[in-house]
């Protein structure tokens, strides 16, 4: 998948919603992100065409293997970075916002190094 922060956020949101909802629909994604349903529909079309999600005729959204791999990578980065920043004394709201920005831009090498240090503590 071409590096696309917006697409990564959608995939991460679908993953997170799938953990708490029996099925995920565009309306759920729109509500979670605070976006218009029309914007989410366009994004879902693009994710479907790129092979990152499937959508049933009932409108249920499922991550493909490729989509799940990206979503889980972004989710792991978000969780680890926000927890780490909070442990450093950063306000939780700021830590979460910063982690959301960092998770998309950090290289795998740098993230793995940070993860190794954090896990060793």
């Amino acid at each position: 998948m071409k590096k696309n922060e917006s697409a990564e956020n959608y995939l991460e949101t679908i993953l997170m919603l799938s953990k708490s909802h029996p099925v995920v629909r565009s309306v759920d994604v729109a509500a979670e992100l605070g976006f218009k349903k029309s914007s989410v529909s366009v994004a879902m079309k693009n994710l479907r065409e790129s092979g990152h999600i499937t959508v049933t005729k009932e409108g249920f959204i499922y991550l493909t293997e490729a989509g799940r791999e990206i979503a889980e990578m972004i989710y792991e980065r978000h969780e680890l970075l926000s927890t780490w920043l909070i442990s450093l004394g950063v306000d939780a709201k700021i830590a979460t916002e910063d982690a959301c920005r960092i998770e998309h831009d950090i290289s795998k090498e740098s993230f793995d190094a940070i993860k190794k240090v954090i896990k060793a503590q």
Side-chain angles (χ1 to χ4, degrees), residues 4 39-53:
N4 181 330
S39 299
V40 173
S41 293
V42 170
M44 294 305 108
K45 177 180 180 260
N46 292 336
L47 289 172
R48 192 177 67 248
E49 288 176 353
S50 66
H52 293 98
I53 64 168

Side-chain angles (χ1 to χ4, degrees), residues 13-14 26 34 36-37 54 56 74 76 93 104 106-107 112-113 119:
T13 300
I14 293 166
S26 288
K36 292 180 183 175
K37 188 169 179 328
T54 59
T56 67
I74 295 298
E76 177 191 26
K93 184 177 185 313
H104 300 286
I106 193 169
S107 70
D112 287 346
K119 298 289 183 184

